Amino acid sequence: MDRKTLIAIGLCFVIFLGWQKLYIEPRLESQKMAQSAAPSTTAAKPEQPAAASQPAGAVQANAPSKAQPVAPSQVPFEQKTLETGTGVARIGNANRVFTGWELHGYRTGISGQAAAVDLKSVTHQDGEVEIAFDDPNYAYLSNVRGTLAQTPSGVVWTYEDDKIKLVREVTGAVSQASAGLRILAQFKAAPPKYAFISMTAQGADKDPEAQDR
């Protein structure tokens, strides 16, 4: 390696050291000073106040309590009749709307002594049409009994407690071959999402081929 090359390498090294000392290090130092002088933007986390000691009874009193099911009503069973074009419909004060429906001119057999066709001979149960809700807080409604009132156009069933007011209105006439049913629900607490009105029939005990519908 000749003398000129050594001189060039030495000059490059000197220039590098000068750049480091005179430019890079002063800039880094000034940035550190600026950062240390700037106010901190991190908010101090407030201390959590110590929980006040309370008696166990007071804590339980403040905690939300679950809604308790209303006890089944002890109202005696009752039913009223409604004349329709097909026969006499019976409306009960329990959870099922219709407790009977006796058809005119139809019998369960060809014999003249055969029993007349009614609701129970078709559905094999004591009632038909009931309403239910998807919220378990309203499951107790399947056991309550309301009050019945005869009106010029039919029968009105009413039940009310601190959670709900239910009204079932059944209308019909001798000139009509069917009956109308209107159900009103007024919720005083949190309402359910869905309501279900069901009509069911079960097979006869002595008929293994009968299917539930």
Side-chain angles (χ1 to χ4, degrees):
M1 184 178 296
D2 58 11
R3 187 168 176 271
K4 292 182 179 180
T5 302
L6 293 174
I7 294 174
I9 293 174
L11 290 175
C12 290
F13 183 71
V14 171
I15 292 172
F16 175 76
L17 290 178
W19 175 263
Q20 183 78 15
K21 293 291 184 181
L22 300 177
Y23 184 77
I24 298 298
E25 290 184 3
R27 284 181 61 87
L28 292 176
E29 188 66 24
S30 62
Q31 289 179 1
K32 289 181 181 180
M33 294 177 62
Q35 290 177 357
S36 62
S40 175
T41 57
T42 303
K45 185 177 181 180
E47 295 183 359
Q48 297 294 334
S53 60
Q54 295 181 355
V59 174
Q60 294 178 359
N62 293 333
S65 59
K66 292 184 178 180
Q68 297 297 322
V70 178
S73 173
Q74 299 301 318
V75 178
F77 176 73
E78 181 186 1
Q79 61 181 355
K80 293 186 179 296
T81 60
L82 177 65
E83 291 282 349
T84 71
T86 60
V88 179
R90 300 186 183 276
I91 294 92
N93 66 338
N95 61 314
R96 292 180 177 176
V97 179
F98 297 99
T99 55
W101 199 313
E102 301 164 5
L103 298 182
H104 295 321
Y106 295 91
R107 296 187 177 277
T108 57
I110 59 175
S111 171
Q113 286 74 35
V117 173
D118 61 5
L119 186 65
K120 189 170 184 177
S121 67
V122 176
T123 64
H124 307 290
Q125 55 190 14
D126 294 328
E128 185 62 273
V129 184
E130 57 184 317
I131 184 171
F133 302 99
D134 66 325
D135 191 333
N137 288 323
Y138 294 96
Y140 69 92
L141 293 174
S142 61
N143 296 320
V144 300
R145 291 180 179 177
T147 58
L148 292 177
Q150 199 93 38
T151 67
S153 58
V155 179
V156 175
W157 176 95
T158 305
Y159 172 82
E160 185 173 6
D161 59 26
D162 60 343
K163 291 183 181 179
I164 189 173
K165 180 179 180 180
L166 267 178
V167 179
R168 304 187 313 222
E169 182 180 0
V170 183
T171 57
V174 177
S175 59
Q176 299 175 350
S178 61
L181 173 62
R182 184 185 183 207
I183 299 178
L184 302 175
Q186 178 183 350
F187 297 97
K188 304 175 184 179
K193 293 182 179 180
Y194 300 100
F196 307 93
I197 299 177
S198 61
M199 298 178 63
T200 60
Q202 63 184 17
D205 295 337
K206 298 180 181 180
D207 185 2
E209 296 182 359
Q211 300 293 322
D212 292 348
R213 297 187 295 275

